[in-house]
Amino acid sequence: MIILFFPAFIYFLITLIGGLIPVNQHSKNKGDIQIFLVQKGSHTDIVVPITNKIIDWKKVIPPAHFPKAMRAAKYYSFGWGDREFYRTTPYWEDLTFKTAFKALFLNTPSAMHIRQLDKIDSEKIIELNIKAEEYKRLSEYFLMHLKFKKKNQISPLDFHYSENDVFYASFSSFHAFRTCNSWSNNALKYSGLNSCLWTAFAFPIFWQYS
């Protein structure tokens, strides 16, 4: 019986160790661009202003791609994950063993999940004030994970959770060592912001800002 739980124990231990090793701790959170780390269930998303002096996200992700354009929208929330998991599991009670197994143990196609928001509403929220160069790097990271058919043109996938979200095909595969939370952590790391060495879960990311 112990042998059965040993791989899970090792996985959790690696996550714990990776989560305790800080990266980019020189980041002072003293810029003039406001972004947010938000936790939705077990996912960490990164929320950014729709438009600022660095990038106008409406030119990349048009409001027309959402089932219903939100006139009062101020932010886009960016998340990444397993495409089939996103498609078939809008709620945890929808999760099947087959979907979970494929997501964790196979290299499966991924997707970007973007939500339009008029306010920040999540279980856990951390406000960050970052510098222009850090935001440029963060935007670059997002763009690197969107599959463009032509320059600056992308097509949404054929499913939604609500009238305020859209999914796009993404590069790289999802597996146990590249999860939605490791993607968010890597986004922070790439941008020069406080992050951890590696994590599969949300809580080590939030440790860096506690």
Side-chain angles (χ1 to χ4, degrees):
M1 183 64 70
I2 294 177
I3 294 176
L4 294 177
F5 289 100
F6 187 70
F9 171 76
I10 294 298
Y11 183 77
F12 185 82
L13 183 62
I14 292 172
T15 292
L16 183 62
I17 294 172
L20 288 171
I21 300 174
V23 177
N24 297 329
Q25 292 302 295
H26 60 276
S27 179
K28 301 300 182 182
N29 193 28
K30 291 184 178 180
D32 59 359
I33 298 176
Q34 187 181 67
I35 69 168
F36 302 87
L37 299 182
V38 302
Q39 185 174 342
K40 299 282 288 184
S42 61
H43 293 264
T44 303
D45 288 348
I46 302 174
V47 179
V48 301
I50 291 179
T51 303
N52 66 9
K53 60 185 179 182
I54 305 298
I55 188 169
D56 181 356
W57 283 109
K58 288 184 293 186
K59 294 181 179 179
V60 181
I61 302 161
H65 282 190
F66 296 92
K68 182 178 180 180
M70 181 188 292
R71 292 187 177 182
K74 299 178 182 178
Y75 311 100
Y76 278 169
S77 171
F78 286 81
W80 178 93
D82 178 81
R83 193 182 307 175
E84 192 62 21
F85 188 100
Y86 272 140
R87 184 187 298 273
T88 62
T89 317
Y91 303 101
W92 279 108
E93 54 265 33
D94 299 320
L95 181 62
T96 65
F97 175 81
K98 180 180 178 181
T99 298
F101 182 88
K102 287 174 64 177
L104 289 174
F105 299 109
L106 301 177
N107 282 328
T108 53
S110 60
M112 289 278 285
H113 183 207
I114 290 92
R115 294 182 298 134
Q116 53 180 351
L117 306 171
D118 59 352
K119 61 181 179 180
I120 313 299
D121 182 18
S122 293
E123 298 170 17
K124 185 177 290 186
I125 303 169
I126 292 179
E127 177 185 320
L128 302 180
N129 296 290
I130 69 176
K131 298 175 183 177
E133 186 57 37
E134 293 167 333
Y135 188 70
K136 286 179 183 177
R137 296 279 290 173
L138 181 64
S139 300
E140 182 181 300
Y141 184 87
F142 291 161
L143 291 169
M144 285 192 307
H145 287 83
L146 286 167
K147 271 191 176 180
F148 291 92
K149 293 187 175 181
K150 297 180 181 179
K151 187 176 181 180
N152 294 331
Q153 291 185 2
I154 51 177
S155 298
L157 297 173
D158 60 352
F159 61 97
H160 303 273
Y161 287 168
S162 73
E163 62 185 16
N164 294 320
D165 74 340
V166 62
F167 289 88
Y168 297 100
S170 177
F171 290 105
S172 69
S173 300
F174 186 100
H175 53 69
F177 291 93
R178 189 188 291 126
T179 69
C180 56
N181 294 304
S182 63
W183 182 89
S184 295
N185 182 67
N186 286 340
L188 299 173
K189 191 187 302 184
Y190 184 89
S191 306
L193 300 171
N194 290 14
S195 51
C196 58
L197 183 63
W198 179 81
T199 182
F201 304 116
F203 60 87
I205 299 174
F206 288 83
W207 283 349
Q208 309 307 316
Y209 296 93
S210 60

